Structure formats: C-alpha cells, structure tokens
Amino acid sequence: MKTQTFINDWIATGNDFKTKEYLDFYLPNAILDDPSVGAEFIGHNGITEYFDSYFIGFQTQTKLVRLDVLDDENAHLEVEFTGKFPEGKIGGTFDFTFKDGKISFVKADLIL
C-alpha cells in the first residue's frame, strides 16, 4: 500500500462527502477515537455517524498539511479543516493504524 496515495484518496473522498466510498477505506470493525468530541466510533455504523455529523453536517473540507509515514502500518497526519463551524478554520491530527490495506484504528484530534 502506498500510504501517501491512500491518504490523498481518503481526503479527496471525504471532501466529496461520498459516505460509501469513505467507508471503504476502513475495515468493517475499525475504531475511530476522537477525544475532541469525547467519543469512540466503532465499525462502519459508528464511522458513518461521525462522518455525517462532523464532515457532511458542517460541510468540512480537509487540507493535508503534513504526513509522516512511520512504517507500513502507522502514519501521522496533520490537516487543516474549514467548514461551517464556529471557528471557520481549525487544525487537526489523525494517527492511523493500517491492516490489510485499510484503516483499522485512527485517533483524531482537533488543534485549536
């Protein structure tokens, strides 16, 4: 798996609000942990809830700031979010764990 290409495609799909295609980047039992919203989102149903609420709901657009590929199974991503939320623009990070060419775990956090 080419991590840079995977992340670029993941961001583009999210920015297009393509829920089904977005979920294809995740294993069916993946976990998305976002302490900034105080919740873990488990599996495709949970990740759909997260994506609908925080990306589609706020018309969030994500811009890659920096990607650090740590190894074949881990990467750290720094992004900038813009959208219809009170701040208008904020930073964020994602720490990914990959398995079988998909996201198995991701910790997301906002940088205010």
Side-chain angles (χ1 to χ4, degrees), residues 45-77:
N45 288 340
I47 293 167
T48 297
E49 176 188 337
Y50 180 83
F51 187 65
D52 286 347
S53 295
Y54 299 104
F55 285 79
I56 295 173
F58 289 108
Q59 297 181 343
T60 302
Q61 293 294 293
T62 305
K63 176 183 167 190
L64 188 148
V65 174
R66 192 177 98 218
L67 174 63
D68 297 321
V69 178
L70 306 174
D71 56 39
D72 289 342
E73 296 179 349
N74 298 280
H76 174 80
L77 174 65

Side-chain angles (χ1 to χ4, degrees), residues 15-27:
N15 285 344
D16 288 340
F17 306 124
K18 295 179 178 177
T19 303
K20 182 189 176 312
E21 291 87 346
Y22 185 77
L23 290 174
D24 287 342
F25 288 90
Y26 294 85
L27 290 172

Side-chain angles (χ1 to χ4, degrees), residues 3 12 15 22-23 28-29 33 35-36 39 42 47 50-51 59 69 75 80 88 92 103 110 112:
T3 304
N15 285 344
Y22 185 77
L23 290 174
N29 61 345
D33 180 17
S36 56
I42 300 171
I47 293 167
Y50 180 83
F51 187 65
Q59 297 181 343
V69 178
E80 178 182 275
I103 301 165
L110 297 179
L112 301 175

Side-chain angles (χ1 to χ4, degrees), residues 1 3 6-7 72-75 96-99 102-104:
M1 175 178 103
T3 304
F6 182 95
I7 295 298
D72 289 342
E73 296 179 349
N74 298 280
F96 294 95
T97 301
F98 303 104
K99 183 178 178 185
K102 295 195 183 250
I103 301 165
S104 64

